[in-house]
Amino acid sequence: MHGRSHCCGFGVSGHLQPPKDHAATNMEEWERIESIVKGWIYSTLSPSLLQMYLKKKSIAYGLWNQLETLFHSNVDSRAMQLDVELRSINMGESSVAAYYTKICTIADTLDNLDAEVPEKNLVIYTINGLAPKFGYIAS
């Protein structure tokens, strides 16, 4: 997940781990960083998820763990949904650039879900969904 990379890059990934005894820690500094990490997490949530997870006394680890559980349990169904979308993609009135970008975005998302699409399949899906005016390319 991107949040873990973000926290590692800033040296605060410990806030995504189970809490430890902070007796030897400067609590003011720990709480400041904790607030920053929670802010990063909250800033990535949709309004509906934010309403579900915005709690006054939450800690970054608990929030991270709940969201990770939620999204990992939906990986297979999300991958199937995206695979169906990719197989039935249609250019419609989109520009070539927009059509290509949409295909790449779906393929990248599937790859991130460990459901990589073979390149030959991407070519077939792309050609099959071209607008009629590009029929000569398909042949």
Side-chain angles (χ1 to χ4, degrees):
M1 293 179 105
H2 298 293
R4 190 173 305 278
S5 298
H6 199 72
C7 287
C8 286
F10 282 94
V12 296
S13 59
H15 288 264
L16 302 180
Q17 304 299 322
K20 297 177 182 164
D21 181 19
H22 299 292
T25 306
N26 175 343
M27 283 307 288
E28 187 176 311
E29 178 71 5
W30 186 90
E31 288 174 357
R32 184 181 71 78
I33 294 171
E34 178 74 4
S35 294
I36 292 169
V37 173
K38 287 191 311 187
W40 287 340
I41 295 170
Y42 288 141
S43 71
T44 65
L45 299 179
S46 68
S48 60
L49 278 177
L50 186 58
Q51 283 183 336
M52 287 173 51
Y53 290 100
L54 186 60
K55 307 273 190 281
K56 190 173 186 177
K57 295 188 179 196
S58 66
I59 60 171
Y61 166 72
L63 176 62
W64 181 261
N65 197 35
Q66 289 174 335
L67 290 167
E68 193 170 48
T69 300
L70 172 70
F71 285 105
H72 279 290
S73 66
N74 291 330
V75 167
D76 290 336
S77 61
R78 179 72 176 137
M80 286 191 299
Q81 176 189 12
L82 288 169
D83 185 62
V84 168
E85 185 178 344
L86 187 59
R87 289 171 186 264
S88 60
I89 197 160
N90 197 310
M91 184 176 187
E93 298 297 317
S94 301
S95 68
V96 172
Y99 178 59
Y100 178 76
T101 300
K102 185 173 181 179
I103 290 169
C104 289
T105 300
I106 295 169
D108 289 346
T109 304
L110 282 165
D111 190 37
N112 288 336
L113 297 173
D114 292 326
E116 186 178 351
V117 180
E119 193 172 316
K120 68 178 184 173
N121 291 19
L122 285 175
V123 171
I124 292 168
Y125 303 152
T126 302
I127 290 172
N128 286 342
L130 285 173
K133 67 182 177 182
F134 294 106
Y136 65 94
I137 293 174
S139 61

